[in-house]
Amino acid sequence: MDGTTMTDTTAPTTPVIDRRRMRLVMAGLMLGLFMSALDQTIISAALRTISDDLNGLSQQAWANTSYMITSVVTTALYGKLSDIYGRRPLYVTAVAFFVAGSVLCGLATSMVTLSVFRGVQGLGAGGLMSLAFAILADLLPPAERGRYQAWFGAVFGVAAVVGPVVGGFFAGLDSFAGAAGWRWAFFINVPVGLAAVLIILSQVHVQSGRSSDKPDIAGVITLVLFLVPLLFAVEEGSKWGWGSAGTLGLFAVGAVGLLLFLLAQRRAGGAALLPTPMFRNPVFTLYNGVNTIVGAAVFGSLAVLPLYLQIVKGLSPTEAGLMLLPQTLGIIGGGRLCSAYVTRTGNFKGFMLLGIVLMMAGTFWFATFGADTALWQAGAAAAAMGIGIGMCWQVMLVAIQRGLEPQYMGAGIGSFAFFRSIGGTVGISAFFSLFFGTVGGRIADAYADAATDPGFKAALADPAVTSQPANQTLLAGRNGAVSLDDSSFLTHADARLAHPFLEGMAHAMQTVFLTSGALLALGLVLALIPRDRRPEPGTGTTAPATAPSPEKAAAAR
């Protein structure tokens, strides 16, 4: 292999690569990461417009959930397959799936087809992050990875800054080059993906420590059997009834799927999607638990936040995207504040706890927001949450990598994205289900409270106001029966009649944010358990609690 040296016959060392080639490889990896990260942030700003155009606001959770399901399943699979077949072919496959899914999403004609095509995107998204970090681990020794991983963090930061603005810009266009503006939020991925593939094909020729294990097909099948029924139950439970036979049956199938998945992983051993030997490291296990909980809280609450900004506060998609900039800058600042220190010293626990506390502060602050809350508070709360996210996930990635055996590096790094995504998938489904399951009652309560308001009474008594179609749609909400599949009627509604409607929506969102804060509190308790582990001098890897065996010492990088 190009540039690979060997110290013994059992374990390859990290390959050496010159700086020029490393910069080119980083460019290709960063383009793939940028494409994946940009897609998520663009959609967050544009999804309300997309949902209104496709008449499916109440179904928008599936546009996120289908993407997350397929990305969760394939995240672990890509990591394991790349240990077997090599990083480059799997990375190219991931980009191809993502670009094809993006084109199909841009051609979607309904929320159902959009959700299906988002699932195709997710088939590629599962590999873009985990394989980028795995390729980096192949090419560089541990002591040098922190500097380059910071570039990856910068990519997510730039995407988080650019995405909402670009998404808002496209969503605000009636049409562009013959297609509705929001469709270009997907089409933009095509040139970025092609550039990433060309660079990786020409520059990445190294694979360290390739495994001879077979793919864990049983693990993939049982993981799907666990996730899909669970998410259907969470998404539809509020409509069917949580105690209905359909909901309980889906939960039961999901529970059986989880049991079978765990048994499949145990039986597969080192060949598993998530090899069981990795979980003998308590830091790896505990922090992936925190990762899952934080993923549910963060993704779930941040999926609802754009609805607050665009519907309750009446911001345009572009304005809502700009309001998320404090959160983005917080993520960048938080990550930069802690990454170098943690990589050098191994003292990650303090930053982890501080990050979760800041996320809790931001989330509970969101839970106080109503229709009349000043926008500066949204910006400040988003900044606090962003700093916490930047600290928390940067630290978790460093901690999870430490103590991994070289042959598990792909699967282990893949586990970081896997557990975060599985938490995010459940969180988005559960929080949207909670929101749409409670919003009708909250709106009805808000209209009941407004019955004595003079302005509301005056608008209600004016036939010129009540005869307007938009206001008639609003007034249907007095008994909680308003349809939320298309919220564009609010643009033409009377402000006096709209205020209780918006207040009711804000109250339903408060419930979501309170739930998110409670989950983060649980994550904080779990994060108190692990101890800091200092890296060995000159290696950047964590020293084990006991001296390694001669065999392990010979295989160490």
Side-chain angles (χ1 to χ4, degrees):
M1 295 181 187
D2 181 24
T4 303
T5 59
M6 301 286 289
T7 56
D8 58 43
T9 61
T10 61
T13 62
T14 300
V16 176
I17 184 171
D18 63 77
R19 290 184 179 275
R20 186 189 69 83
R21 270 191 60 206
M22 192 64 221
R23 284 195 293 266
L24 289 172
V25 171
M26 285 297 297
L29 297 178
M30 290 166 68
L31 282 172
L33 285 176
F34 181 73
M35 179 175 62
S36 176
L38 187 68
D39 183 78
Q40 296 180 55
T41 55
I42 280 181
I43 298 307
S44 69
L47 194 53
R48 186 225 173 163
T49 300
I50 296 171
S51 300
D52 285 346
D53 191 37
L54 299 179
N55 196 35
L57 184 64
S58 63
Q59 299 173 316
Q60 68 169 288
W62 283 112
N64 285 313
T65 301
S66 62
Y67 177 92
M68 298 290 277
I69 289 174
T70 53
S71 64
V72 164
V73 172
T74 55
T75 290
L77 184 61
Y78 274 113
K80 187 61 188 177
L81 288 176
S82 72
D83 285 339
I84 301 171
Y85 299 112
R87 315 292 189 212
R88 185 174 68 167
L90 269 298
Y91 191 83
V92 172
T93 300
V95 174
F97 270 120
F98 195 90
V99 170
S102 297
V103 173
L104 291 172
C105 286
L107 300 174
T109 57
S110 69
M111 285 300 291
V112 173
T113 56
L114 177 66
S115 298
V116 172
F117 297 150
R118 286 279 284 165
V120 177
Q121 267 192 312
L123 292 174
L128 291 178
M129 182 176 186
S130 60
L131 291 177
F133 284 100
I135 290 171
L136 192 66
D138 285 343
L139 297 175
L140 295 172
E144 295 184 27
R145 291 175 200 158
R147 176 162 56 96
Y148 287 94
Q149 286 175 359
W151 291 15
F152 288 163
V155 168
F156 282 97
V158 172
V161 172
V162 173
V165 178
V166 173
F169 170 75
F170 284 137
L173 293 177
D174 291 333
S175 65
F176 179 74
W182 63 263
R183 297 182 185 276
W184 287 94
F186 297 105
F187 292 151
I188 195 175
N189 292 324
V190 175
V192 179
L194 291 176
V197 164
L198 290 174
I199 293 173
I200 295 302
L201 281 175
S202 64
Q203 299 298 324
V204 174
H205 305 290
V206 177
Q207 168 70 36
S208 179
R210 187 172 294 185
S211 170
S212 60
D213 293 325
K214 298 296 183 182
D216 181 17
I217 302 301
V220 173
I221 294 172
T222 53
L223 182 59
V224 172
L225 185 61
F226 160 52
L227 281 178
V228 174
L230 173 65
L231 293 172
F232 265 98
V234 170
E235 177 66 24
E236 304 296 335
S238 61
K239 302 174 186 176
W240 298 347
W242 295 109
S244 69
T247 303
L248 294 177
L250 286 173
F251 277 127
V253 173
V256 172
L258 175 60
L259 177 62
L260 292 176
F261 176 70
L262 295 175
L263 291 174
Q265 298 308 280
R266 183 175 181 179
R267 182 176 180 179
L273 287 178
L274 298 173
T276 53
M278 296 191 303
F279 294 91
R280 294 171 188 165
N281 180 341
V283 174
F284 177 89
T285 302
L286 285 168
Y287 272 111
N288 269 318
V290 177
N291 193 11
T292 305
I293 293 170
V294 171
V298 169
F299 281 106
S301 60
L302 293 184
V304 174
L305 182 58
L307 294 183
Y308 173 80
L309 295 173
Q310 293 185 49
I311 297 180
V312 177
K313 300 304 294 182
L315 300 184
S316 70
T318 303
E319 291 169 338
L322 292 172
M323 280 300 302
L324 295 176
L325 286 182
Q327 172 193 307
T328 300
L329 296 175
I331 293 173
I332 297 172
R336 287 187 174 276
L337 178 66
C338 68
S339 60
Y341 175 80
V342 172
T343 300
R344 184 177 70 253
T345 67
N347 298 323
F348 50 75
K349 188 171 182 178
F351 280 110
M352 170 67 72
L353 299 178
L354 179 58
I356 297 177
V357 168
L358 286 172
M359 283 189 283
M360 289 174 59
T363 302
F364 283 127
W365 196 351
F366 285 141
T368 66
F369 289 4
D372 299 320
T373 301
L375 279 175
W376 72 264
Q377 294 193 47
M385 194 166 186
I387 294 171
I389 292 171
M391 288 182 173
C392 187
W393 273 332
Q394 183 69 34
V395 168
M396 269 194 288
L397 179 59
V398 173
I400 286 171
Q401 287 183 85
R402 291 192 174 145
L404 284 175
E405 298 289 343
Q407 67 267 31
Y408 299 134
M409 187 60 68
I413 295 175
S415 75
F416 171 74
F418 174 82
F419 284 105
R420 185 177 69 174
S421 296
I422 201 170
T425 303
V426 175
I428 289 173
S429 296
F431 285 8
F432 269 121
S433 179
L434 178 62
F435 171 70
F436 285 108
T438 59
V439 68
R442 299 301 173 86
I443 290 173
D445 291 342
Y447 272 115
D449 293 339
T452 58
D453 179 76
F456 179 80
K457 291 170 65 177
L460 200 60
D462 187 348
V465 173
T466 57
S467 63
Q468 295 298 319
N471 295 327
Q472 291 176 351
T473 303
L474 270 177
L475 293 175
R478 287 184 293 179
N479 60 6
V482 67
S483 172
L484 294 176
D485 282 333
D486 184 352
S487 63
S488 60
F489 67 88
L490 288 169
T491 305
H492 310 289
D494 184 90
R496 295 165 295 178
L497 297 180
H499 189 270
F501 180 92
L502 300 178
E503 196 66 48
M505 292 200 75
H507 289 165
M509 293 174 186
Q510 289 173 4
T511 304
V512 170
F513 293 128
L514 285 172
T515 305
S516 174
L519 275 178
L520 289 169
L522 177 61
L524 180 65
V525 172
L526 193 60
L528 288 168
I529 300 174
R531 295 181 179 180
D532 287 340
R533 303 180 72 198
R534 296 181 180 276
E536 295 176 355
T539 67
T541 59
T542 303
T546 58
S549 66
E551 293 79 12
K552 288 187 177 181
R557 295 188 180 197

